[in-house]
Amino acid sequence: MTLQSIPHNNPPIMPIINTLDPLGDGLSSVQLVRISGSDIDVVNAARVSYGKFVTELTDRDAKLIEYLMEHNHTSPFEHNQFSFRIKCPLFVARQWMRHRMNSYNEISYRYVKAPLEFYIPVQWRHQDPKNRQGSIGAFADDELKQKYLQTLETCKQAYEHLLEKGVARELARGLLPLCTYTEFIFTCNLHSLAHFLKLRLSEGAQSEIRSYAQAMLTLALPHFPVSLGAWKKKHAPDLDLQQFLAASQVTAGFTTLLE
């Protein structure tokens, strides 16, 4: 994708524009609930050093953004904001919140009863013998799936039984497995989002969180096509951003684009 082929626009602050189902199970979701800023704001943040201000993005401005990205001038990418509403398994959320330079507010199962929605893998993966935290391959095993489902049912029944017997939600939630769905608001700027994407789109990232990173890139790309195009050139040259731009026009569902 060349810089000249990317549309230059300056969308205003706007409400919900899209929701994607990154895990494809009808439960997971990434929803862009608010966005402020555009590629023009990146340019104006950089050019304020010279007392300059623009209202339309030119090819010269696009080249400036590419220069900023290439040479790690990161502060101009921080004068904007994304807010996403995320619904994901607890184990994905705990990986996600290792990214500390962001804002989070999460549903509390002290305050409310858990909806008891669980992530069920479509296929199993083998432990990577070389990477202690990674997985490889994929295989199906109905016996293992039944064991997984039976265990979830046991946890569900025990959780509800404790609540029925008057046990506080803050204690009963200890029975909830890591595949239980949680929800949170995730707010970041473009610099922080780009760092998240760099790490979580990599081959070493767990498949599930990688799918969420793909969804966020899909939703963010129409608003910062030049900046994310420059990020792609530097950090993820094998990505096909045209596919993400196409996917951003879809209002439901999400296809894994990197595999």
Side-chain angles (χ1 to χ4, degrees):
M1 176 182 290
T2 64
L3 290 176
Q4 289 76 14
S5 69
I6 301 172
H8 306 330
N9 51 27
N10 187 25
I13 296 174
M14 58 195 307
I16 296 171
I17 62 166
N18 213 343
T19 302
L20 301 176
D21 180 0
L23 300 182
D25 62 357
L27 296 174
S28 71
S29 67
V30 174
Q31 187 179 70
L32 181 54
V33 297
R34 186 180 185 277
I35 183 166
S36 172
S38 71
D39 287 318
I40 290 178
D41 296 287
V42 176
V43 171
N44 283 331
R47 295 203 188 280
V48 73
S49 301
Y50 298 95
K52 303 294 185 181
F53 182 84
V54 301
T55 57
E56 294 184 2
L57 199 68
T58 66
D59 286 340
R60 181 169 176 263
D61 295 325
K63 290 177 182 178
L64 171 61
I65 290 175
E66 188 173 46
Y67 177 88
L68 295 171
M69 184 67 70
E70 176 63 26
H71 295 278
N72 298 314
H73 296 297
T74 58
S75 61
F77 298 100
E78 297 174 0
H79 300 277
N80 50 73
Q81 187 182 79
F82 299 88
S83 287
F84 296 93
R85 188 180 185 98
I86 307 297
K87 185 175 180 180
C88 66
L90 282 168
F91 67 81
V92 171
R94 297 304 163 253
Q95 293 178 13
W96 200 308
M97 292 179 186
R98 295 299 298 162
H99 296 264
R100 297 186 294 275
M101 302 303 292
N102 304 289
S103 298
Y104 298 92
N105 280 92
E106 186 176 7
I107 190 171
S108 173
Y109 293 147
R110 289 185 72 195
Y111 296 164
V112 298
K113 179 184 176 183
L116 300 176
E117 296 174 317
F118 305 109
Y119 171 60
I120 313 296
V122 176
Q123 290 184 308
W124 308 108
R125 299 189 296 271
H126 296 285
Q127 181 66 44
D128 190 330
K130 297 180 180 179
N131 182 351
R132 293 184 179 181
Q133 65 179 12
S135 59
I136 58 174
F139 67 99
D141 189 313
D142 290 339
E143 181 181 352
L144 293 179
K145 183 174 182 179
Q146 286 304 312
K147 184 67 174 178
Y148 190 95
L149 294 174
Q150 290 169 6
T151 302
L152 292 181
E153 184 62 27
T154 298
C155 293
K156 176 182 176 180
Q157 291 181 6
Y159 173 76
E160 292 182 326
H161 181 70
L162 263 61
L163 293 180
E164 290 171 0
K165 293 297 183 180
V167 174
R169 288 185 294 269
E170 66 182 19
L171 292 175
R173 64 180 174 168
L175 292 172
L176 299 176
L178 284 174
C179 64
T180 304
Y181 270 96
T182 185
E183 292 185 58
F184 60 91
I185 300 294
F186 168 63
T187 298
C188 63
N189 60 43
L190 182 60
H191 177 211
S192 180
L193 178 63
H195 180 67
F196 183 98
L197 296 175
K198 176 184 175 182
L199 296 179
R200 300 303 182 177
L201 287 175
S202 70
E203 292 184 0
Q206 184 168 340
S207 174
E208 285 78 10
I209 198 169
R210 193 162 66 243
S211 294
Y212 281 88
Q214 293 169 2
M216 288 200 297
L217 175 57
T218 298
L219 295 178
L221 185 57
H223 303 280
F224 290 87
V226 178
S227 297
L228 288 170
W231 168 84
K232 176 259 186 191
K233 182 177 180 180
K234 179 178 176 66
H235 296 292
D238 293 334
L239 283 182
D240 184 352
L241 292 189
Q242 293 291 359
Q243 286 186 302
F244 284 87
L245 281 170
S248 70
Q249 306 305 311
V250 180
T251 58
F254 186 69
T255 302
T256 300
L257 298 171
L258 300 183
E259 297 180 351

